[in-house]
Structure formats: C-alpha cells, structure tokens
Amino acid sequence: MTTEPIRVLLVDDQQLIRLGFRMVLEAEDDIVVIGEAADGREAIAQAAALRPDLVLMDIRMPGLDGIAATEAIVREHPQTRVLVLTTFDLDEYAFGAIRAGASGFLLKDVQRHEMLSALRAVHRGDAALSPRITRMLLEHVTPLLPSSESPSHPDVAAELTDRERDVFLAIGRGLTNSEIAQSLYVSESTVKTHVGRVLAKLGARDRIHAVILAHRLGLVDDAGPLPSEA
C-alpha cells in the first residue's frame, strides 16, 4: 500500500532559507514541497489554492507576519497543520503562533533529522514540542487563553469514556500516539481514533490545546516528569 507524501508549503521571506529547506525536504521520499510564499498574505493565498498538509511557517516577516498568517490558515483550513520557525528558543513570537493554532515550533538552526522528525510528528497528529518546551508553553500560554476557551465547569471531560479519558490524560502528559499505544496496549490507529474523539468532545482546537486544557483542569501533575521525546 502506497502512502501519499506529505505535501508541504514553505513560508519565509528569505529565498535562500526556502531553498535550503526545499533541498532537505525534497531529499525525502515521503515529503514533497508543493509551493513557497515570501510573506503572510502570500502564505494565506497559497494555502487556499494548494491545500497543503503542512505549512512550514516563518514567524517574523515584513507585512503580515507568521502569527497572523497561521491564525488565518488554521481557521480557514483546519486540516492543514502549521509548524512555525523561529530564530530564538522560547521566543514570545513562537508562543503567539501556538496560541494562533500552530502545532509546534522549531528553531531555524534545527538539525536536519530533528526537523524531519518534527514535520512527520505534526503530520500524524502529534505535537512537535519537547517536554521542556511543553512546560514553558504551559507557563506562557495558559494564562493568556481567551476566556471563551476556558472550561465552563469542572466536568468538561465528563462526556469522555474511560478509555478516552485515559487517552486525554496521556495527551496531557505529552505522550505521542505511539507512546500512548504502547502504554494502553492498543494499535496506533486505535489511538488516533480516540484522540480525534477526545478533541471533538472537549471542543479542543488541536492536540496542544488539549494539553493546556488537561493542565488547567488539574488532571495532570505539573510536578511529575514528562516523557522523553520519541
């Protein structure tokens, strides 16, 4: 059975950076670059025209920046994932992009294998965030979520089945689909189905939102260790 390649849109105002990323990505059999954009407005237009699986998005660009572009793309095309690029670790711009709907972020000087691993993780529904970044994300993002995203009552997870609740807690701990499958002794495809149902029942925009929600509800011990990256 042939798997369709991951269709990627590259967004960066520097042509040489786009070229570098294109060379790395197109060397992979399971990834194809379907377009490029040099600013936020062009990114939104290209996302609408090409419907990429994933957008590799620079944050700081002249005109419309990557945060605004991410918000528009995620709103109009919820099936498209956005992985943002930043120059500085734990940059406030990166957290702004996460709030806007990005599924993770990477440093621009990331190692080749790390970028490819993150891109594939985001495409299959996992979050491209290390445990350390997850903790920083919770500190930065949770207090800034709009009140409309706050749970209206403490039983927001009451509609979940026991197995869905197990999956929700695992998501909150930062586990990937593969790790959840191993811990619950089920297939990864079964986990993916459960994750989809959990997000729908919680009204969570994406996996990262679910992580934040789990912590806000006190369902995850902030002092407990998060798993190491897969």
Side-chain angles (χ1 to χ4, degrees):
M1 180 178 175
T2 302
T3 303
E4 290 295 322
I6 304 171
R7 302 167 67 252
V8 178
L9 171 65
L10 297 177
V11 183
D12 196 292
D13 61 323
Q14 297 184 50
Q15 184 177 7
L16 285 178
I17 289 180
R18 297 198 308 273
L19 177 61
F21 282 130
R22 177 183 279 274
M23 291 176 64
V24 169
L25 297 180
E26 292 195 331
E28 302 298 309
D29 293 335
D30 61 335
I31 300 172
V32 59
V33 176
I34 60 170
E36 298 183 13
D39 58 49
R41 286 187 173 82
E42 188 179 358
I44 294 170
Q46 289 281 62
L50 302 174
R51 300 297 176 97
D53 299 314
L54 189 144
V55 179
L56 204 54
M57 176 80 74
D58 185 25
I59 292 181
R60 302 189 184 195
M61 296 180 290
L64 194 71
D65 66 19
I67 296 177
T70 294
E71 185 173 20
I73 290 171
V74 170
R75 182 180 63 249
E76 298 297 327
H77 314 289
Q79 299 305 313
T80 296
R81 309 277 183 178
V82 178
L83 185 56
V84 298
L85 297 164
T86 181
T87 306
F88 303 103
D89 194 6
L90 306 181
D91 188 345
E92 181 60 33
Y93 278 86
F95 291 117
I98 295 296
R99 290 194 293 273
S103 295
F105 66 84
L106 293 171
L107 294 180
K108 281 194 175 182
D109 61 356
V110 67
Q111 295 294 312
R112 174 190 179 121
H113 72 278
E114 292 175 328
M115 180 178 70
L116 293 173
S117 176
L119 189 151
R120 291 177 176 123
V122 167
H123 180 253
R124 65 175 179 260
D126 289 331
L129 295 173
S130 69
R132 180 177 67 90
I133 297 296
T134 298
R135 291 208 184 285
M136 296 298 292
L137 173 68
L138 292 167
E139 292 176 9
H140 281 70
V141 176
T142 302
L144 299 175
L145 284 174
S147 57
S148 61
E149 295 190 0
S150 301
S152 57
H153 54 79
D155 298 325
V156 68
E159 292 185 16
L160 301 180
T161 65
D162 290 342
R163 179 43 58 93
E164 288 168 352
R165 186 178 178 86
D166 291 339
V167 171
F168 179 35
L169 295 180
I171 293 173
R173 290 176 54 218
L175 271 66
T176 65
N177 285 357
S178 177
E179 291 167 336
I180 296 173
Q182 292 176 19
S183 66
L184 298 181
Y185 303 102
V186 297
S187 70
E188 198 166 336
S189 61
T190 297
V191 171
K192 189 172 183 179
T193 298
H194 283 311
V195 169
R197 289 173 178 167
V198 167
L199 296 181
K201 287 184 177 181
L202 295 176
R205 179 188 60 218
D206 55 27
R207 196 183 189 96
I208 289 179
H209 188 182
V211 171
I212 296 169
L213 184 56
H215 282 259
R216 295 188 72 180
L217 292 173
L219 300 178
V220 180
D221 180 7
D222 287 327
L226 282 164
S228 58
E229 285 186 281

